[in-house]
Amino acid sequence: MKTILQVLALTLSCAAAADLKPLLAQPDQIVLQDDFSKAGAVDKKQWAARQGTQWIVEEGVLRGRPSTPEYQAKRKDHFGYEPRISVPVTPPQCIAEFSVRFNGGSETAIAPFIELGHHICRLHLSKNGVEMLADHESVKVAESKEFKFETGKWYHVLAEMKGEEVAVQFADGPTLYAKNSVFAKTTDSGGNGLGIAGPKNGSVEIDNVTLWSIKAEEQVSWAAKRATLTKLEPVPVVKSKGKAKAE
């Protein structure tokens, strides 16, 4: 059960979140809904810890920590330095609403991130802004340099994926939009729908998650709204030579 302080900590975020409504897709059925009020182990049918990282429901949130030193010592890659989790029950085309907070640790060239489909659509958060990357992070398709990532801050997110289009809203922040043919290939991603990774050697807290399947019809107002959103001409991402396999 959440304490009074935990409830108060989310009050401002939830108030802003109430203003977030789907722009692109029409919600159909609720597939997953959880406020993590019951402490204990995660439901492995709904949540898949990645790279040996440690996840538990405690203090009213789903909290993730890096893998243990013993696990890391046995690995040659995918060490689990950043707490990572994905949601296997996420529909390939979906609406995802959730709150997330990244605590401590350090930013990397990869993390922290939020993704829809493993390596399909990834939002990399940093102090320099947020960028949307597609197709194994090979191309940047949207960005907001005004968004400045802060550790310890709750972010409320509404993400929509329909066909070749993705729209992601941050409460009291930017809306990122892009269209890319790879977005329609979420069923081919090999991993697990909605995914979240925290900072290196830091922790992640997730709360108030709702996932919907979507209807075939888009929002009636979508065409007009899309015309107002910033579009970015895709920019190839140059990766460092010798960089390990993408994670």
Side-chain angles (χ1 to χ4, degrees):
M1 181 178 293
K2 289 181 173 63
T3 67
I4 293 176
L5 289 178
Q6 289 160 357
V7 172
L8 291 176
L10 275 172
T11 298
L12 293 177
S13 175
C14 290
D19 294 331
L20 292 181
K21 306 295 182 186
L23 303 174
L24 161 61
Q26 293 192 43
D28 190 12
Q29 301 293 319
I30 291 177
V31 176
L32 172 65
Q33 191 167 44
D34 205 334
D35 66 358
F36 306 106
S37 58
K38 184 178 180 180
V42 297
D43 185 340
K44 294 183 179 180
K45 294 180 180 179
Q46 296 180 338
W47 299 91
R50 302 182 72 90
Q51 299 187 12
T53 58
Q54 307 172 84
W55 292 83
I56 190 171
V57 179
E58 58 184 8
E59 298 181 318
V61 299
L62 174 58
R63 181 170 288 133
R65 299 178 176 89
S67 61
T68 65
E70 292 78 14
Y71 177 92
Q72 295 170 11
K74 296 176 182 178
R75 302 290 300 179
K76 295 182 178 180
D77 57 17
H78 295 82
F79 296 99
Y81 296 141
E82 307 93 7
R84 301 185 182 215
I85 202 164
S86 58
V87 189
V89 298
T90 309
Q93 306 287 289
C94 68
I95 299 172
E97 186 174 20
F98 56 93
S99 296
V100 62
R101 177 162 68 173
F102 304 102
N103 300 307
S106 58
E107 298 175 19
T108 73
I110 297 172
F113 68 72
I114 298 164
E115 67 180 358
L116 295 170
H118 194 41
H119 294 302
I120 295 293
C121 177
R122 180 174 288 186
L123 281 83
H124 176 221
L125 286 66
S126 77
K127 293 181 176 65
N128 296 320
V130 57
E131 55 185 10
M132 183 187 292
L133 307 169
D135 197 8
H136 282 258
E137 298 76 67
S138 64
V139 59
K140 179 167 64 177
V141 293
E143 68 178 351
S144 173
K145 294 183 178 180
E146 289 71 32
F147 177 100
K148 304 299 182 184
F149 167 70
E150 298 177 40
T151 185
K153 177 179 178 179
W154 279 105
Y155 291 98
H156 193 85
V157 185
L158 181 63
E160 305 170 70
M161 175 172 276
K162 186 179 190 307
E164 297 184 352
E165 296 182 286
V166 168
V168 181
Q169 303 175 69
F170 289 87
D172 295 322
T175 295
L176 278 71
Y177 166 77
K179 182 176 182 179
N180 192 288
S181 60
V182 75
F183 292 161
K185 299 179 180 180
T186 47
T187 54
D188 301 327
S189 71
N192 294 308
L194 175 66
I196 294 175
K200 184 176 182 179
N201 297 321
S203 66
V204 180
E205 294 172 355
I206 303 171
D207 203 0
N208 298 324
V209 176
T210 306
L211 298 177
W212 292 266
S213 60
I214 62 174
K215 297 180 180 179
E217 303 81 10
E218 63 187 31
Q219 291 282 345
V220 174
S221 58
W222 172 236
K225 179 63 180 179
R226 177 175 52 203
T228 69
L229 298 176
T230 300
K231 284 87 173 176
L232 177 71
E233 190 68 25
V235 179
V237 175
V238 178
K239 298 185 179 181
S240 301
K241 292 182 178 180
K243 180 174 168 47
K245 180 181 177 182
E247 298 181 345

Short mmCIF file of all heavy atoms in Angstrom, two decimals, residues 104-131:
data_model
loop_
_atom_site.label_atom_id
_atom_site.label_comp_id
_atom_site.label_asym_id
_atom_site.label_seq_id
_atom_site.Cartn_x
_atom_site.Cartn_y
_atom_site.Cartn_z
N GLY A 104 19.50 8.33 -9.49
CA GLY A 104 20.92 8.09 -9.32
C GLY A 104 21.59 7.60 -10.59
O GLY A 104 21.09 7.74 -11.70
N GLY A 105 22.74 6.99 -10.42
CA GLY A 105 23.46 6.44 -11.55
C GLY A 105 23.95 7.50 -12.51
O GLY A 105 24.03 8.68 -12.19
N SER A 106 24.27 7.06 -13.72
CA SER A 106 24.80 7.97 -14.73
C SER A 106 24.20 7.67 -16.09
O SER A 106 23.86 6.52 -16.40
CB SER A 106 26.33 7.86 -14.80
OG SER A 106 26.72 6.52 -15.09
N GLU A 107 24.07 8.71 -16.90
CA GLU A 107 23.60 8.53 -18.27
C GLU A 107 24.68 7.83 -19.09
O GLU A 107 25.87 7.96 -18.82
CB GLU A 107 23.31 9.89 -18.91
CG GLU A 107 22.22 10.69 -18.25
CD GLU A 107 22.09 12.08 -18.87
OE1 GLU A 107 22.57 12.27 -20.00
OE2 GLU A 107 21.52 12.96 -18.22
N THR A 108 24.24 7.10 -20.11
CA THR A 108 25.16 6.53 -21.08
C THR A 108 24.69 6.91 -22.49
O THR A 108 23.67 7.58 -22.64
CB THR A 108 25.22 4.99 -20.97
OG1 THR A 108 24.01 4.43 -21.51
CG2 THR A 108 25.39 4.55 -19.53
N ALA A 109 25.41 6.45 -23.49
CA ALA A 109 24.99 6.71 -24.86
C ALA A 109 23.71 5.97 -25.20
O ALA A 109 23.07 6.26 -26.21
CB ALA A 109 26.10 6.30 -25.83
N ILE A 110 23.30 5.03 -24.35
CA ILE A 110 22.11 4.21 -24.59
C ILE A 110 20.99 4.53 -23.62
O ILE A 110 19.82 4.67 -24.00
CB ILE A 110 22.46 2.71 -24.49
CG1 ILE A 110 23.46 2.32 -25.58
CG2 ILE A 110 21.21 1.85 -24.59
CD1 ILE A 110 24.00 0.91 -25.44
N ALA A 111 21.32 4.66 -22.35
CA ALA A 111 20.30 4.74 -21.30
C ALA A 111 20.43 6.06 -20.52
O ALA A 111 21.50 6.67 -20.51
CB ALA A 111 20.46 3.55 -20.36
N PRO A 112 19.31 6.45 -19.86
CA PRO A 112 18.03 5.76 -19.74
C PRO A 112 17.21 5.85 -21.03
O PRO A 112 17.39 6.78 -21.82
CB PRO A 112 17.33 6.48 -18.59
CG PRO A 112 17.91 7.86 -18.60
CD PRO A 112 19.33 7.69 -19.05
N PHE A 113 16.29 4.88 -21.20
CA PHE A 113 15.44 4.93 -22.38
C PHE A 113 14.08 4.32 -22.11
O PHE A 113 13.86 3.58 -21.14
CB PHE A 113 16.11 4.25 -23.59
CG PHE A 113 16.29 2.75 -23.50
CD1 PHE A 113 15.20 1.88 -23.61
CD2 PHE A 113 17.55 2.19 -23.37
CE1 PHE A 113 15.36 0.50 -23.55
CE2 PHE A 113 17.73 0.81 -23.31
CZ PHE A 113 16.62 -0.03 -23.40
N ILE A 114 13.15 4.66 -23.01
CA ILE A 114 11.81 4.06 -23.08
C ILE A 114 11.66 3.57 -24.51
O ILE A 114 12.04 4.28 -25.45
CB ILE A 114 10.72 5.10 -22.77
CG1 ILE A 114 10.86 5.65 -21.35
CG2 ILE A 114 9.32 4.50 -22.98
CD1 ILE A 114 10.07 6.92 -21.11
N GLU A 115 11.14 2.35 -24.70
CA GLU A 115 11.00 1.88 -26.07
C GLU A 115 9.66 1.19 -26.28
O GLU A 115 9.05 0.66 -25.36
CB GLU A 115 12.15 0.95 -26.47
CG GLU A 115 12.21 -0.36 -25.74
CD GLU A 115 13.39 -1.23 -26.18
OE1 GLU A 115 14.15 -0.83 -27.08
OE2 GLU A 115 13.55 -2.33 -25.62
N LEU A 116 9.23 1.20 -27.54
CA LEU A 116 8.05 0.47 -27.99
C LEU A 116 8.52 -0.53 -29.02
O LEU A 116 8.90 -0.17 -30.14
CB LEU A 116 7.02 1.43 -28.60
CG LEU A 116 6.40 2.45 -27.65
CD1 LEU A 116 5.60 3.49 -28.43
CD2 LEU A 116 5.51 1.77 -26.62
N GLY A 117 8.54 -1.81 -28.64
CA GLY A 117 9.12 -2.82 -29.50
C GLY A 117 10.63 -2.79 -29.34
O GLY A 117 11.26 -1.73 -29.39
N HIS A 118 11.27 -3.93 -29.09
CA HIS A 118 12.70 -3.96 -28.81
C HIS A 118 13.49 -3.52 -30.03
O HIS A 118 13.47 -4.15 -31.07
CB HIS A 118 13.09 -5.37 -28.39
CG HIS A 118 14.44 -5.46 -27.77
ND1 HIS A 118 14.92 -4.52 -26.87
CD2 HIS A 118 15.44 -6.37 -27.91
CE1 HIS A 118 16.14 -4.85 -26.48
NE2 HIS A 118 16.49 -5.97 -27.11
N HIS A 119 14.18 -2.37 -29.88
CA HIS A 119 14.97 -1.76 -30.96
C HIS A 119 14.10 -1.26 -32.12
O HIS A 119 14.63 -0.97 -33.19
CB HIS A 119 16.01 -2.73 -31.50
CG HIS A 119 17.09 -3.08 -30.51
ND1 HIS A 119 17.90 -2.14 -29.92
CD2 HIS A 119 17.47 -4.28 -30.00
CE1 HIS A 119 18.75 -2.75 -29.11
NE2 HIS A 119 18.51 -4.05 -29.13
N ILE A 120 12.80 -1.15 -31.92
CA ILE A 120 11.93 -0.64 -32.99
C ILE A 120 11.82 0.89 -32.87
O ILE A 120 12.15 1.63 -33.78
CB ILE A 120 10.54 -1.29 -32.94
CG1 ILE A 120 10.64 -2.79 -33.24
CG2 ILE A 120 9.59 -0.61 -33.93
CD1 ILE A 120 11.04 -3.12 -34.65
N CYS A 121 11.34 1.35 -31.72
CA CYS A 121 11.21 2.78 -31.46
C CYS A 121 11.71 3.03 -30.05
O CYS A 121 11.11 2.55 -29.08
CB CYS A 121 9.76 3.23 -31.61
SG CYS A 121 9.50 4.98 -31.21
N ARG A 122 12.78 3.78 -29.91
CA ARG A 122 13.40 4.00 -28.61
C ARG A 122 13.57 5.50 -28.36
O ARG A 122 14.06 6.23 -29.21
CB ARG A 122 14.75 3.30 -28.53
CG ARG A 122 15.47 3.47 -27.20
CD ARG A 122 16.73 2.64 -27.15
NE ARG A 122 16.45 1.20 -27.02
CZ ARG A 122 17.39 0.28 -26.83
NH1 ARG A 122 18.67 0.63 -26.77
NH2 ARG A 122 17.05 -1.00 -26.72
N LEU A 123 13.17 5.94 -27.17
CA LEU A 123 13.38 7.32 -26.74
C LEU A 123 14.52 7.34 -25.74
O LEU A 123 14.43 6.77 -24.65
CB LEU A 123 12.12 7.89 -26.09
CG LEU A 123 11.02 8.33 -27.05
CD1 LEU A 123 10.17 7.14 -27.47
CD2 LEU A 123 10.13 9.39 -26.42
N HIS A 124 15.60 8.00 -26.13
CA HIS A 124 16.77 8.13 -25.26
C HIS A 124 16.69 9.47 -24.55
O HIS A 124 16.61 10.52 -25.19
CB HIS A 124 18.05 8.04 -26.08
CG HIS A 124 19.30 8.26 -25.28
ND1 HIS A 124 20.36 9.00 -25.75
CD2 HIS A 124 19.65 7.85 -24.02
CE1 HIS A 124 21.31 9.04 -24.82
NE2 HIS A 124 20.90 8.35 -23.77
N LEU A 125 16.71 9.44 -23.21
CA LEU A 125 16.61 10.64 -22.40
C LEU A 125 17.99 11.05 -21.90
O LEU A 125 18.77 10.20 -21.45
CB LEU A 125 15.69 10.40 -21.20
CG LEU A 125 14.18 10.33 -21.43
CD1 LEU A 125 13.79 9.11 -22.26
CD2 LEU A 125 13.44 10.27 -20.09
N SER A 126 18.29 12.35 -22.00
CA SER A 126 19.57 12.84 -21.50
C SER A 126 19.43 14.30 -21.10
O SER A 126 18.40 14.94 -21.36
CB SER A 126 20.66 12.69 -22.56
OG SER A 126 20.54 13.71 -23.55
N LYS A 127 20.46 14.83 -20.48
CA LYS A 127 20.45 16.24 -20.10
C LYS A 127 20.49 17.15 -21.33
O LYS A 127 20.26 18.36 -21.23
CB LYS A 127 21.62 16.54 -19.17
CG LYS A 127 21.50 15.86 -17.81
CD LYS A 127 22.66 16.20 -16.92
CE LYS A 127 22.48 15.61 -15.51
NZ LYS A 127 22.47 14.14 -15.52
N ASN A 128 20.79 16.57 -22.48
CA ASN A 128 20.83 17.35 -23.72
C ASN A 128 19.51 17.30 -24.48
O ASN A 128 19.39 17.88 -25.55
CB ASN A 128 21.95 16.84 -24.63
CG ASN A 128 23.32 17.05 -24.01
OD1 ASN A 128 23.58 18.08 -23.41
ND2 ASN A 128 24.19 16.06 -24.15
N GLY A 129 18.52 16.60 -23.92
CA GLY A 129 17.22 16.52 -24.58
C GLY A 129 16.75 15.08 -24.67
O GLY A 129 17.31 14.17 -24.05
N VAL A 130 15.70 14.87 -25.46
CA VAL A 130 15.18 13.52 -25.70
C VAL A 130 15.14 13.31 -27.21
O VAL A 130 14.78 14.22 -27.96
CB VAL A 130 13.78 13.33 -25.08
CG1 VAL A 130 12.79 14.36 -25.59
CG2 VAL A 130 13.25 11.92 -25.35
N GLU A 131 15.55 12.14 -27.66
CA GLU A 131 15.53 11.83 -29.08
C GLU A 131 14.85 10.50 -29.30
O GLU A 131 14.98 9.58 -28.50
CB GLU A 131 16.94 11.83 -29.68
CG GLU A 131 17.93 10.91 -28.97
CD GLU A 131 19.33 11.03 -29.53
OE1 GLU A 131 19.58 11.94 -30.33
OE2 GLU A 131 20.18 10.19 -29.16
#
